[in-house]
Amino acid sequence: MKLTVRDRFAWTPAHSPARSPAAVLVAVALTIAAAGAFTIRPASAAQASAAQASAAQVTAAPYSCAPNGPAGSQMIYGTFGDASVIGWTGNSQAVVACLGGSFFVTSGNGPGSGSTAAVTGTTYGYGVYNDSKTTWRNSGGYLPALVTTFHRAGARISITNFGDKVTIGGHSYVAIYSRVRVVNPTARPLSINPEASPGLIRLDSAPTSVPPHAAVNHDFVVASDRFGGRYPWPSKKALVRAGGFNQHFAHMRDYWDHQLAGIAQIVSLPDPSLVDAYRTGFIYTQIIRAGNELKTGANGYDKEFSHDVIGILANLFTQGYTTDAHQLLDRARYVIGTQTQYDDGVWTYPWPWAIYLLKTGDLSFVKANFATQGPAGKTEPSIEDTAHLIAKDRTGPGGIMEKTNDIDANGYWTIDNYEALTGLAAYRWLAQQVGNTAQARWAAAEYASLLRATNRTLNATISAGHLHYLPCSMTEPNTDNRCANAEDANWAAPFLFGRWAWDGYLFGAPRSGPGISLIDATYDYGFARLAGKLPPGTFGGYPTQYYSTAYNAGYGEWGLASTHHRDQGILSYEFMIANGQSGPYSWWESQQLPNPGSPWTGTHPENGQGSSPHAWGMANANMVLLDSLVAQRANGSLIVGRGVPDAWVRSGKVIKLANVPTTDGRRTGLTIRTIGATVTLTLTGRQPAGRLLFQLPAFVDNIARASAGTVNEKSGTVTLAPAVRTVTVQLRHREAAN
């Protein structure tokens, strides 16, 4: 969370399309060639001829997609508060895309980069868009090709925008390709001009007249990024020679499908929208990053924050993404050593290292960085440095963590103590793996001391205030700080940002106290306060937009350690998809109530703050989704199905995953299939390093028998030996149909 008074504001966009003319992007020469980029075919004569033609005369400005908030705004919105992103892995500045088929190419400081200078750039789009009822989606359900579809003058029109990497003369660029497709379902000719912005380069010479029952495509391109280079921009002719829309779309699709094949694949779920959201979140994260900088957003937060980087890295490693892992970890070391806005990022620095080692077995790299600082010395701390900083920062009353601004207000926050405990637990495990027994003993003792102090302080606060919930402050009831507002989602901050109850458990952390015993009671308390104020499924938001947040699914993480809220992460992710999208599978960090006047079909927030898409929010959502389905413990145990909703355990429902990283480079797959009152788990790939714990919530007090393993009906667990490949569980009572 970074919603501070300093750089955030409440803004309600006008409901009329306040559009401004687009400027022309100046371009210079290029030729294609390139490793990892699109390799062109020779341009056709028609393409070459089309390149010489100027764009059609614009008679209307495109849909607004620009820094259109108050003066000095560092956020880019569409007219109805909408925003998404297109581009390429590691581009220096991704492109913000908006509902009406428009997109904004930045030419100066990125929106939210921290600079006080105004955001500069050009809005490109098509005047043909008319604010009529609109669908806006990812092509194929998940690709970063955004498709806007609407009707005008009897025609069905779609505008598709995506980015592709091209390399010309040894220089790399991102080019944005657009297609305006006009379909005429009528029995008479229609004349539809796409009304392209100046600066968009034609790739064809399609007519504006569309015959009856026919379609016409108008294709365009413009360069948007140089991956941080200072070489000249490409010329119009060079971009046309680089090939047409179809060729680049195929290259873009194949590239992202190959990237997705390298991570844990959620093949199918009873709710297919979650599968697409998971894939899209990974892709957007890669587009938002700049080189090895894991930025929080291309829009609004165009920079790195310490705790964001830690959370994004943890999710990537959990998914099995280890490309550039060494460079990403080195960069994270720099970020947590130099960024002073938040304290908690440095305390959790050992955690992504532990996940990386668990998944890969890359012990040599961990040893090289365990006690050795980076080239810049103390500003690039070692793993050991960050763990010992926890002990130094225990300056709060009774030996708890210091006062911080980690939830954008000053206080002795509960999350800080649980984050520090998570960092110590991960550090202890790392010390054991590298063979440093002295540091392992130190970490265990420091952990035990901090846990005692945390429990002692919280118990005193709970007793004094007669509380029945886990407070967001170590020393105050929620009524005495920002959590007094029931709609401020920080009441649930420990349940995500604290990490400890679930992520600490995965690394063997001893757990006791109110952080475990009050999980269910705290969820019940928070949702009861929201009843009648907000719909079920949201935790609230942040000042001054209290509807929901990009962290909504992540707040369900501690539910995995609970008794009655184990499926909260998935249920809250479904709320985000159904109610919170400000772009296709894009969410503002904090969101306003829905806008019934938006032309975009479905329920969508009127506006938002922070960034959209928000990389840290998507990381938390996808990590809790994956852990709800399958999670790896450091002791080798593989936990399957712990957060699966009961509604998914009904006849005909199938859950299927593939290529899931477990330990030391192993990958596995699994299928959970329900037929009547039987649930069958089948494993593929490498067997787990330890026991398998099959733990659907629907199993609790509901297992009649299992074809293999041992049954604990009270906890709803079927424990299997590593070599077992399939088990069928007979339920006492099948889950009721919808």
Side-chain angles (χ1 to χ4, degrees):
M1 292 162 296
K2 292 157 287 296
L3 300 173
T4 63
V5 174
R6 174 176 53 81
D7 59 2
R8 296 292 167 254
F9 56 87
W11 169 69
T12 302
H15 290 175
S16 59
R19 306 178 180 178
S20 57
V24 179
L25 178 66
V26 178
V28 201
L30 84 316
T31 344
I32 284 197
F38 181 77
T39 303
I40 64 164
R41 303 174 185 175
S44 66
Q47 287 174 319
S49 174
Q52 306 304 316
S54 61
Q57 182 178 0
V58 176
T59 57
Y63 180 85
S64 178
C65 188
N68 56 359
S73 167
Q74 289 283 302
M75 288 178 281
I76 296 168
Y77 296 86
T79 303
F80 296 94
D82 45 276
S84 190
V85 70
I86 53 178
W88 201 256
T89 298
N91 44 206
S92 179
Q93 182 61 57
V95 171
V96 176
C98 297
L99 171 66
S102 300
F103 55 93
F104 185 84
V105 175
T106 302
S107 60
N109 297 296
S113 63
S115 170
T116 57
V119 175
T120 57
T122 303
T123 299
Y124 295 97
Y126 303 90
V128 69
Y129 181 71
N130 61 357
D131 296 318
S132 63
K133 207 64 177 175
T134 303
T135 63
W136 194 25
R137 62 179 181 85
N138 299 91
S139 178
Y142 65 94
L143 291 170
L146 303 184
V147 184
T148 297
T149 305
F150 58 100
H151 289 81
R152 179 168 183 159
R156 185 176 73 251
I157 303 171
S158 62
I159 304 172
T160 302
N161 297 314
F162 68 90
D164 193 21
K165 181 180 180 182
V166 295
T167 303
I168 299 163
H171 299 318
S172 295
Y173 303 88
V174 178
I176 303 301
Y177 290 87
S178 293
R179 168 168 288 175
V180 180
R181 180 172 176 81
V182 183
V183 178
N184 180 2
T186 74
R188 57 186 174 83
L190 296 176
S191 181
I192 303 289
N193 187 334
E195 302 179 25
S197 297
L200 286 169
I201 302 163
R202 277 195 174 275
L203 292 171
D204 57 23
S205 55
T208 57
S209 179
V210 187
H213 307 294
V216 170
N217 295 329
H218 302 270
D219 295 344
F220 302 86
V221 66
V222 67
S224 69
D225 194 78
R226 294 178 288 188
F227 294 94
R230 296 183 179 274
Y231 38 81
W233 287 101
S235 70
K236 293 181 180 180
K237 288 183 178 179
L239 282 171
V240 173
R241 293 192 192 105
F245 181 98
N246 290 342
Q247 293 165 291
H248 285 280
F249 186 94
H251 176 253
M252 176 274 301
R253 180 195 60 219
D254 292 347
Y255 172 82
W256 289 115
D257 283 346
H258 177 74
Q259 294 296 306
L260 289 168
I263 67 169
Q265 297 162 29
I266 301 179
V267 180
S268 63
L269 294 176
D271 183 348
S273 68
L274 287 167
V275 179
D276 286 335
Y278 174 82
R279 294 169 177 164
T280 305
F282 172 81
I283 293 172
Y284 286 165
T285 298
Q286 299 297 329
I287 291 174
I288 290 168
R289 68 183 272 194
N292 294 318
E293 298 178 21
L294 292 176
K295 295 182 177 181
T296 301
N299 179 18
Y301 289 149
D302 184 36
K303 56 184 175 180
E304 299 163 291
F305 297 90
S306 63
H307 50 198
D308 300 40
V309 169
I310 295 299
I312 295 167
L313 260 186
N315 175 60
L316 288 174
F317 294 157
T318 298
Q319 292 176 314
Y321 179 83
T322 55
T323 304
D324 306 321
H326 291 190
Q327 294 91 327
L328 291 172
L329 283 164
D330 285 345
R331 178 67 189 181
R333 176 180 61 194
Y334 167 79
V335 174
I336 59 107
T338 58
Q339 198 252 77
T340 58
Q341 184 173 0
Y342 299 106
D343 297 315
D344 55 341
V346 69
W347 298 335
T348 51
Y349 181 61
W351 177 48
W353 279 95
I355 299 173
Y356 173 73
L357 179 57
L358 177 66
K359 299 296 185 182
T360 66
D362 186 4
L363 188 60
S364 60
F365 186 63
V366 176
K367 283 184 174 180
N369 290 273
F370 185 80
T372 303
Q373 296 174 342
K378 290 183 178 181
T379 58
E380 295 183 349
S382 68
I383 302 170
E384 183 179 296
D385 289 340
T386 63
H388 282 265
L389 186 62
I390 294 172
K392 180 181 177 183
D393 289 342
R394 289 180 57 188
T395 60
I400 63 172
M401 300 306 295
E402 65 187 2
K403 182 178 288 188
T404 75
N405 189 50
D406 286 338
I407 62 170
D408 297 312
N410 291 324
Y412 293 109
W413 301 119
T414 303
I415 65 163
D416 289 327
N417 294 272
Y418 286 121
E419 284 183 290
L421 287 166
T422 300
L424 287 169
Y427 178 67
R428 177 195 56 80
W429 184 80
L430 286 169
Q432 291 174 333
Q433 304 311 302
V434 303
N436 193 326
T437 56
Q439 283 301 299
R441 286 195 299 269
W442 174 87
E446 187 67 24
Y447 178 95
S449 173
L450 179 56
L451 181 58
R452 285 193 299 271
T454 299
N455 288 342
R456 184 169 56 246
T457 304
L458 281 173
N459 284 332
T461 300
I462 291 167
S463 176
H466 305 288
L467 310 181
H468 60 283
Y469 60 86
L470 183 70
C472 67
S473 165
M474 296 290 293
T475 59
E476 302 169 326
N478 285 1
T479 51
D480 290 352
N481 51 56
R482 65 176 298 169
C483 296
N485 181 352
E487 296 174 50
D488 189 320
N490 279 291
W491 68 266
F495 286 176
L496 168 57
F497 307 110
R499 302 292 179 189
W500 170 82
W502 178 248
D503 292 303
Y505 162 75
L506 295 181
F507 281 96
R511 298 170 303 157
S512 65
I516 287 294
S517 63
L518 292 180
I519 298 176
D520 283 317
T522 305
Y523 278 123
D524 293 341
Y525 149 83
F527 290 141
R529 288 206 303 166
L530 288 172
K533 300 176 184 292
L534 293 174
T538 178
F539 287 81
Y542 310 124
T544 55
Q545 300 182 337
Y546 287 110
Y547 180 63
S548 191
T549 79
Y551 309 116
N552 198 60
Y555 282 133
E557 183 194 79
W558 271 26
L560 289 169
S562 76
T563 300
H564 301 298
H565 290 85
R566 286 163 49 178
D567 58 357
Q568 192 62 57
I570 287 178
L571 297 181
S572 295
Y573 203 165
E574 289 179 317
F575 178 90
M576 292 171 64
I577 292 171
N579 302 282
Q581 295 182 67
S582 292
Y585 298 121
S586 297
W587 295 271
W588 288 105
E589 183 178 37
S590 188
Q591 300 145 24
Q592 187 56 282
L593 292 167
N595 178 6
S598 172
W600 186 10
T601 57
T603 302
H604 306 281
E606 183 174 54
N607 56 60
Q609 303 179 51
S611 62
S612 177
H614 189 272
W616 193 24
M618 293 184 300
N620 290 318
N622 286 333
M623 192 165 174
V624 75
L625 173 62
L626 192 56
D627 277 6
S628 296
L629 304 173
V630 56
Q632 179 65 58
R633 291 198 71 193
N635 67 2
S637 298
L638 188 67
I639 304 170
V640 173
R642 183 163 177 84
V644 169
D646 288 353
W648 292 9
V649 190
R650 291 174 180 154
S651 193
K653 303 292 186 182
V654 177
I655 298 168
K656 185 175 182 179
L657 287 81
N659 201 42
V660 177
T662 55
T663 60
D664 298 326
R666 294 181 178 91
R667 299 277 178 149
T668 193
L670 62 91
T671 301
I672 302 171
R673 187 183 304 273
T674 303
I675 300 176
T678 65
V679 182
T680 300
L681 168 66
T682 304
L683 296 179
T684 58
R686 299 278 298 276
Q687 71 180 43
R691 301 174 305 165
L692 186 144
L693 308 178
F694 193 18
Q695 289 189 331
L696 300 183
F699 286 176
V700 175
D701 294 325
N702 194 29
I703 300 175
R705 59 185 176 274
S707 64
T710 59
V711 172
N712 183 325
E713 193 175 6
K714 183 177 180 180
S715 67
T717 303
V718 179
T719 301
L720 304 171
V724 175
R725 307 302 286 170
T726 188
V727 62
T728 295
V729 179
Q730 181 71 37
L731 303 180
R732 295 185 185 277
H733 310 284
R734 72 172 66 186
E735 294 301 315
N738 283 327

